[in-house]
Amino acid sequence: MRLPLSVLALALLVVVAAWWSIGAPVRLPATHAADGKVECLSYAPFRGAQSPLAPGTRVERGQIEEDLARLAAVTKCIRTYSITHGLDQIPAVAEQFGLKVILGLWLSSDRAKNKAEIDGVIALANRYPHVISAIVVGNEVLLRGELSAADISQIIRTVRAAVPMPVTYADVWEFWLRNRALAADADFITIHILPYWEDDPIPAHAAGAHVEAIRQKVAAAFPGRDILIGEVGWPSHGRMREGALPSPSNQARVINDVVTRAAQRGYRVNLIEAFDQPWKRALEGAVGGYWGLFSGSSREPKFVLGKPVSDHPYWVWQALGGVALACFVFAAAWLAAKDANRVPSVVWIAVGLNAIAGGVLSGWAIEKGMVESLGAGGAMRGAALGLLAVAAPIAGSALLARGDRLPGFAKLLGAREERPTEPLLRVAGALLILLTLVAVQTALGLVFDPRYRDFPFAALTAASVPFLLYRWVGPKEEGGRGLAETVAAWVLALGAAFIVLNEGFANWQALWLAASLLALALILARGRDVQNS
């Protein structure tokens, strides 16, 4: 009795200490933003299920008023990208709150829509010349390959001739260097610098210096020209790209660094973006929806520049949930044991490791699932990962304490007379099958279509540890290895190797996930298709 309680006490201590460590606010340098406000913010008013990709979407004026009332406290200017879906109301509302507008004119390969957009922007520009400070004719059109540089130049000239304010074009910085003739028609040059999305991703700690270096490079290519950094920012959630990690603290760090450098060196920046935009997840994965300085749901700021920021703001509740789960893990082991006093010490130590893995990682897995699940399929997958992270430590510990042998997949899914009758074996077996399916789907996705896919390392680790310990500490198994287990093990092992090589050794999320896939491959490889005795 003393050993289980001692191991439980140690496990609870580790769970709380781990959550305190990863949830502690990260201290950041003080900001140098003038008047505590940033110069300009990209703004799109879409909330929840609203999307500019849906033709019938129209944003009501009241929604824009609510947003701009918040933004007026943190910025002097907003940048828009289109005047459709009700966004033509923005200049009037901005005037109400004393905000300037860099008005966006959306261009695509649809010439008729372009004509309507051009006419509408010209009308707004002449109606609100004291509000609209500049017009951006087209956004990353060259990047998308929808129009030629000559087409864009012609539209810039048309708009410049019809409006009283400066006119520009905006694109990723490399496309300005490839299409330098555009500069002759633009009143100033608007470049996008997104360190996270660079071909060679830039870590957060180096992002500010990278932005400054790129600006200097573009300035050298266009001497004497005014340059606006039209988009610069960092995501708060989503998958790593090499050493570029999305997180709230990294988002605050990058924004703070960029704003400070711009104030000190005297150049202009527009931050992307004001509010999280969930609709972008359909185009760019989870990371696309979390570039806002304000939450898309609560409309509250994610952080205050220069103040400490926690990457897990609800860590206290996650720690309490982890403590509760750890207690359930030990209770399940104690109740499942045929004689708890005869359970070997090594089994109680393994149960303690299960409690720690589940207690720390289940809350992390659920947190990640809430921001990474997209659509009905994503929600089902996220629910499965959350279930595995919580249930596997409990079922695995009970299985260890009971000392029963776990049949292979063939018997678990085979004829009724071959299936185990013991409920614990059926539950544990079902969890292992579900874990294998989710892990194989994850591995194959990251092999064949990896760019926007996330790394569910926390959930897969919490679910794999109990079965890994069972294979090493549990009863010795005999017989042949099942075909399904063998095939899945090879898929997971080869997938893990590819993921590491493809994502790079700087991506700790990918390395961690690959390790969990290899652990599951070992679990399956060590399994034997035997009948429970």
Side-chain angles (χ1 to χ4, degrees), residues 137-497:
V137 174
N139 184 74
E140 297 185 351
V141 187
L142 295 174
L143 173 65
R144 297 193 304 275
E146 293 182 331
L147 292 176
S148 69
D151 291 331
I152 296 169
S153 288
Q154 178 59 51
I155 296 172
I156 290 175
R157 290 193 293 269
T158 299
V159 174
R160 282 184 68 192
V163 301
M165 65 282 298
V167 178
T168 184
Y169 166 70
D171 214 319
V172 177
W173 63 272
E174 293 100 327
F175 284 84
W176 274 101
L177 299 183
R178 298 174 194 172
N179 299 273
R180 301 191 184 197
L182 269 175
D185 294 306
D187 290 308
F188 61 95
I189 295 167
T190 302
I191 59 174
H192 296 172
I193 311 174
L194 300 172
Y196 172 86
W197 282 124
E198 294 282 20
D199 291 339
D200 295 314
I202 308 299
H205 67 84
H210 173 77
V211 170
E212 188 168 329
I214 294 300
R215 184 194 176 278
Q216 290 173 352
K217 183 175 182 177
V218 175
F222 300 98
R225 297 302 304 274
D226 183 21
I227 297 171
L228 167 67
I229 300 178
E231 283 187 3
V232 61
W234 196 266
S236 60
H237 297 287
R239 55 123 60 220
M240 282 188 77
R241 298 188 70 236
E242 297 185 15
L245 172 66
S247 72
S249 65
N250 277 345
Q251 183 182 44
R253 184 190 311 279
V254 171
I255 297 300
N256 184 73
D257 195 7
V258 167
V259 167
T260 298
R261 287 172 180 270
Q264 291 173 342
R265 273 68 163 184
Y267 54 84
R268 297 185 297 150
V269 297
N270 171 73
L271 303 176
I272 185 166
E273 59 194 325
F275 296 95
D276 284 343
Q277 294 294 299
W279 64 271
K280 290 184 179 180
R281 297 167 60 182
L283 303 175
E284 302 173 359
V287 72
Y290 295 99
W291 288 73
L293 275 64
F294 288 74
S295 165
S297 53
S298 70
R299 314 308 270 185
E300 293 294 329
K302 297 179 183 177
F303 55 83
V304 176
L305 285 176
K307 301 295 184 182
V309 181
S310 173
D311 289 331
H312 304 276
Y314 302 106
W315 72 267
V316 172
W317 293 104
Q318 289 167 302
L320 291 174
V323 165
L325 178 59
C327 292
F328 276 116
V329 167
F330 271 85
W334 184 271
L335 294 173
K338 296 170 183 175
D339 184 350
N341 294 317
R342 293 180 179 270
V343 173
S345 299
V346 68
V347 169
W348 285 119
I349 293 173
V351 171
L353 293 174
N354 287 342
I356 292 171
V360 175
L361 297 176
S362 62
W364 200 347
I366 293 170
E367 175 189 281
K368 284 177 64 64
M370 291 177 68
V371 300
E372 293 175 358
S373 298
L374 176 62
M380 291 177 62
R381 181 171 178 269
L385 287 166
L387 172 66
L388 287 166
V390 172
I394 296 174
S397 296
L399 193 64
L400 267 173
R402 190 165 183 82
D404 287 343
R405 295 176 179 174
L406 185 64
F409 291 174
K411 288 188 173 65
L412 288 165
L413 299 173
R416 184 183 299 273
E417 60 272 13
E418 292 183 343
R419 298 175 197 168
T421 57
E422 175 65 41
L424 176 58
L425 293 178
R426 299 174 77 170
V427 170
L431 289 172
L432 182 55
I433 291 171
L434 178 60
L435 172 59
T436 302
L437 291 173
V438 173
V440 167
Q441 185 265 346
T442 297
L444 292 177
L446 286 166
V447 168
F448 293 104
D449 184 26
R451 181 171 174 81
Y452 300 122
R453 293 186 182 270
D454 300 294
F455 303 104
F457 57 87
L460 292 184
T461 302
S464 295
V465 165
F467 291 108
L468 186 64
L469 291 171
Y470 171 79
R471 293 298 191 210
W472 258 261
V473 178
K476 183 178 179 180
E477 297 178 347
E478 299 174 350
R481 186 182 299 117
L483 177 60
E485 289 91 333
T486 300
V487 172
W490 275 108
V491 170
L492 293 171
L494 293 174

Side-chain angles (χ1 to χ4, degrees), residues 514-528:
S516 70
L517 296 177
L518 286 175
L520 182 54
L522 287 172
I523 292 165
L524 298 173
R526 287 179 64 91
R528 294 296 182 267

